[in-house]
Amino acid sequence: MSRIARGLVVTATAALALAGCGSGGQSGGAPASGAGAPKVTGDVTVFAAASLTETFTQLGGDFEAANPGTKVKFNFGGSSALAQQLNQGAPADVFASAAPANMKQVTETKIITDAPTTFARNKLAIAVPKGNPGRIAGLPDFADAGKKIALCAEQVPCGAAAKKVFEVAGVTPAPDTLEQDVKAVLTKVSLGEVDGALVYRTDVKAAGDKVEGIDFAEADQAVNDYPIAPLAKARNAAAAKAFVEFVLSGKGKSVLSAAGFVSP
């Protein structure tokens, strides 16, 4: 074989080898999954329901560890107040609400255009100070004017759920204070400022030995769905999407389940 012929054979062989590697076919092996995925970096601001404080704080740290160069910033509060802030132009990348009604407030104004995803469910429990000094036994005690009672305001999800369970139980509550988010209610209980309150089961668990929880049957009639979605004009769209996916991942479900949330 001549020198020219040998050169042509080598060139053709090399070309075939390169074609096989680039095609991802059997001869070149399967391509690595996500090899060309862009790196997620930068700040991501999450507006989240107050009842998500502990779980999302943990998930935020886990997300940062999994994505070096990212920083998750949270604004926790009552879902109705957060929705109002977003509609007034507050800068954020992700919204996680404790009820679909408050999520609807921002989808109707096109602040969020992607279909929200329900990632968790929660229900109410009676919370009392350690030792139950007020001797709260059930929902009927919330109608006793002689007992100090705290509830969420009706416009926030925990308040709307409380209203429903009282209607189901046929009880007219006599609250001494109405708070703007569930953590404010829980604080009243843990400090012993009230005899009893309605909060989420997850909040009772998060409070540890500072409060005691009492389950009641009517809570099953007012289960809250928690939706999450990235904002349409998120300043860091890639990180917003990645954080939502992280919450929906197996890791996210594990953290939420350990806190007492129920998978949808």
Side-chain angles (χ1 to χ4, degrees):
M1 183 181 295
S2 69
R3 183 180 301 176
I4 294 176
R6 285 196 302 269
L8 290 172
V9 170
V10 171
T11 301
T13 302
L16 287 170
L18 288 171
C21 291
S23 67
Q26 295 296 322
S27 61
S33 176
K39 182 181 179 182
V40 177
T41 59
D43 294 347
V44 54
T45 300
V46 179
F47 277 37
S51 51
L52 293 167
T53 300
E54 291 81 13
T55 51
F56 267 37
T57 298
Q58 180 178 343
L59 286 174
D62 293 340
F63 179 81
E64 291 172 356
N67 298 276
T70 59
K71 178 66 177 178
V72 184
K73 299 180 178 180
F74 291 107
N75 179 18
F76 294 109
S79 295
S80 58
L82 296 177
Q84 184 177 20
Q85 291 171 27
L86 290 172
N87 280 333
Q88 291 175 346
D93 299 295
V94 175
F95 180 37
S97 172
N102 302 117
M103 180 64 75
K104 186 178 180 181
Q105 289 178 255
V106 294
T107 57
E108 287 181 339
T109 56
K110 306 301 181 182
I111 299 296
I112 286 175
T113 54
D114 289 355
T117 302
T118 299
F119 65 95
R121 289 195 170 108
N122 210 351
K123 62 181 180 179
L124 297 175
I126 297 171
V128 299
K130 189 174 182 180
N132 194 7
R135 298 294 183 263
I136 301 292
L139 288 183
D141 289 318
F142 283 71
D144 186 344
K147 297 186 186 298
K148 295 180 180 179
I149 300 298
L151 297 174
C152 290
E154 288 186 9
Q155 67 265 28
V156 296
C158 58
K163 179 181 179 181
K164 187 171 183 178
V165 298
F166 283 127
E167 290 173 349
V168 171
V171 172
T172 301
D176 295 275
T177 181
L178 296 172
E179 303 298 328
Q180 294 305 307
D181 66 64
V182 72
K183 291 301 184 185
V185 175
L186 187 66
T187 297
K188 295 284 186 181
V189 181
S190 62
L191 293 177
E193 295 179 0
V194 296
D195 296 316
L198 286 187
V199 299
Y200 294 116
R201 293 175 64 189
T202 54
D203 294 299
V204 172
K205 188 169 184 177
D209 60 3
K210 294 180 181 179
V211 307
E212 296 178 12
I214 302 170
D215 290 331
F216 57 95
E218 293 84 357
D220 291 334
Q221 305 301 312
V223 177
N224 280 45
D225 286 346
Y226 283 60
I228 188 171
L231 271 64
K233 295 182 179 180
R235 294 173 299 175
N236 191 342
K241 181 180 178 181
F243 183 80
V244 170
E245 291 176 348
F246 192 76
V247 172
L248 299 175
S249 70
K251 173 64 176 179
K253 291 178 181 178
S254 177
V255 171
L256 289 161
S257 177
F261 288 94
V262 178
S263 295

